[in-house]
Amino acid sequence: MPELRGVKIAGLGMYAPARVLTNQQLQQMVDTSEEWIVTRTGIKERRLAEPEQATSDLALLAARQALQQAGVQPEELDLIIVATNTPDTLFPATACLVQDRLGAKKAGAFDLLAGCTGFIYALVSAAQFVQTGMCRYVLVVGAETLSRIINWQDRNTCVLFGDGAGAALLAPAEPGRGILASSLAADGSGGHLLSLPAGGSRQPASLATVEAGLHYVHMNGREVFKFAVKAMGDSALEALHRAGLGKEDLDFLIPHQANIRIIEAAAKRLGLCMDKVLVNVDRYGNTSTASVPIALYEAVAGGRIKAGDHVVLVGFGAGLTWAACAIRWD
Ligand code: ACO
């Protein structure tokens, strides 16, 4: 087998809608308190898309910024993967809408569904195309308008989520730089713990499903929490191991932003102090597939990740799924 090419993240982009929903505002909407939300989740506010904005609108803005940062033209793209749980429509794929609006005339495009782990799954998938030489430039986007699938009367879920988008442009790199190794995992037996029950082929949308609220996110928070704490640590360690690294080699962690307590538990397991971990869950809540690329964007833009650093991206989500990716930042 010929030697695989290296693959690196050559550009990043993000978009967070301007509209802010604070915990104080949520207190007026459901039986909750600022204190409960902050102590149990670490979330202080989240962003909401405007009614006229769909997921592809957010994705497009993040994608344009990633392309611009990398100095790559849309016509140079070979492939676009959009990871999302909230596509504009079940079909066509949101990636095709982004492909058209970017003017990426020679790019293939598809959506990828892996819960909140979707961005890491998409990044690892995209990397294979670059490593084998099949593609030169691949755009990976994580974008969500979760506000559209949340029951705003359910305090168990409505305080947790927010809208946003993040994007990464993948390009060839020297072998041994950029993405070093990854770990993808799934356990479908836990699928019922976090799901959107209706609107698919099992329970097509009907008056009855809408009346029963089955088109909203349903979650067993306590069970997801237990799973997440274990999955984040396991996954990050596995990706490091596959890269031939130990936790002492890790310089910076980009965790999925769902709950500060889950992030702190992962950091502890990896022996990292919190100043080596990007935390923005306080400002955006859980933006699902957008959370990892937004966090990575902010870490790089803030100068917290430098060339040569060993960085791990790690996440978990519906499926159940969990994954991590070890990178030598180039
Ligand atoms: N305000 C006030 N009280 C609340 C709220 C709220 N917003 N939400 C729940 N409660 C109550 C519960 O009803 C419960 O009351 P009870 O004891 O009378 O039944 C009590 O608070 C404690 O509930 P717990 O579930 O034990 O609270 P916990 O400390 O586990 O925190 C939370 C709940 C924040 C949901 C936590 O379990 C969590 O973060 N889980 C992971 C969720 C997650 O990450 N989901 C996203 C996955 S990624 C994806 O793919 C979308």
Side-chain angles (χ1 to χ4, degrees):
M1 201 168 119
E3 197 187 351
L4 292 177
R5 290 200 302 206
V7 51
K8 66 177 180 183
I9 295 176
L12 288 162
M14 67 164 278
Y15 173 72
R19 186 151 57 114
V20 174
L21 179 68
T22 64
N23 290 347
Q24 288 89 339
Q25 288 168 300
L26 273 165
Q27 278 181 176
Q28 316 300 316
M29 295 159 61
V30 286
D31 179 18
T32 191
S33 67
E34 162 94 48
E35 199 261 333
W36 191 96
I37 302 172
V38 172
T39 54
R40 299 294 180 107
T41 72
I43 301 168
K44 293 182 180 153
E45 58 186 42
R46 67 288 292 145
R47 303 296 183 90
L48 299 186
E50 295 301 330
E52 67 277 10
Q53 284 181 309
T55 295
S56 66
D57 300 310
L58 278 53
L60 186 69
L61 294 169
R64 282 192 178 132
Q65 192 182 11
L67 283 166
Q68 196 180 24
Q69 216 183 71
V72 170
Q73 299 303 315
E75 306 79 36
E76 295 180 89
L77 285 175
D78 298 304
L79 181 65
I80 299 171
I81 308 178
V82 173
T84 184
N85 300 279
T86 49
D88 288 26
T89 52
L90 216 46
F91 63 87
T94 299
C96 294
L97 305 176
V98 173
Q99 178 269 338
D100 176 48
R101 290 171 68 192
L102 277 177
K105 294 194 189 323
K106 74 175 177 77
F110 65 89
D111 284 2
L112 186 149
L113 181 65
C116 296
T117 325
F119 180 81
I120 299 178
Y121 263 70
L123 189 75
V124 172
S125 305
Q128 314 305 307
F129 288 93
V130 180
Q131 284 172 324
T132 56
M134 185 170 167
C135 294
R136 182 166 179 79
Y137 296 122
V138 183
L139 178 68
V140 185
V141 186
E144 303 285 0
T145 44
L146 293 162
S147 58
R148 306 287 153 72
I149 58 165
I150 285 163
N151 179 353
W152 289 101
Q153 275 143 33
D154 175 13
R155 70 176 185 174
N156 290 298
T157 51
C158 76
V159 302
L160 302 176
F161 298 100
D163 300 334
L169 192 283
L170 294 191
E174 296 294 314
R177 304 196 72 97
I179 295 176
L180 301 177
S182 59
S183 151
L184 303 181
D187 178 7
S189 71
H192 61 285
L193 297 174
L194 182 52
S195 69
L196 194 139
S201 61
R202 180 68 63 192
Q203 293 193 76
S206 68
L207 190 56
T209 61
V210 172
E211 279 175 354
L214 298 178
H215 55 296
Y216 292 131
V217 172
H218 287 246
M219 182 180 74
N220 180 334
R222 217 170 285 183
E223 288 305 314
V224 173
F225 187 93
K226 279 193 265 176
F227 145 72
V229 165
K230 182 167 178 346
M232 294 270 273
D234 286 354
S235 208
L237 288 170
E238 181 62 25
L240 280 171
H241 174 70
R242 290 183 188 182
L245 301 170
K247 56 185 182 182
E248 63 286 354
D249 300 309
L250 181 58
D251 296 303
F252 206 82
L253 185 70
I254 303 286
H256 172 44
Q257 309 284 314
N259 184 316
I260 187 65
R261 293 184 291 144
I262 297 172
I263 295 171
E264 285 171 350
K268 194 169 167 201
R269 177 102 183 271
L270 293 165
L272 269 191
C273 55
M274 286 303 286
D275 62 357
K276 298 285 183 193
V277 182
L278 196 289
V279 176
N280 62 19
V281 69
D282 51 326
R283 289 178 288 126
Y284 301 121
N286 179 350
T287 57
S288 190
T289 60
S291 105
V292 165
I294 289 177
L296 183 60
Y297 175 94
E298 292 196 335
V300 174
R304 299 182 68 187
I305 295 177
K306 293 169 198 67
D309 278 355
H310 289 128
V311 180
V312 164
L313 317 182
V314 62
F316 66 93
L320 298 168
T321 55
W322 61 106
C325 181
I327 299 173
R328 182 169 179 216
W329 197 256
D330 198 359

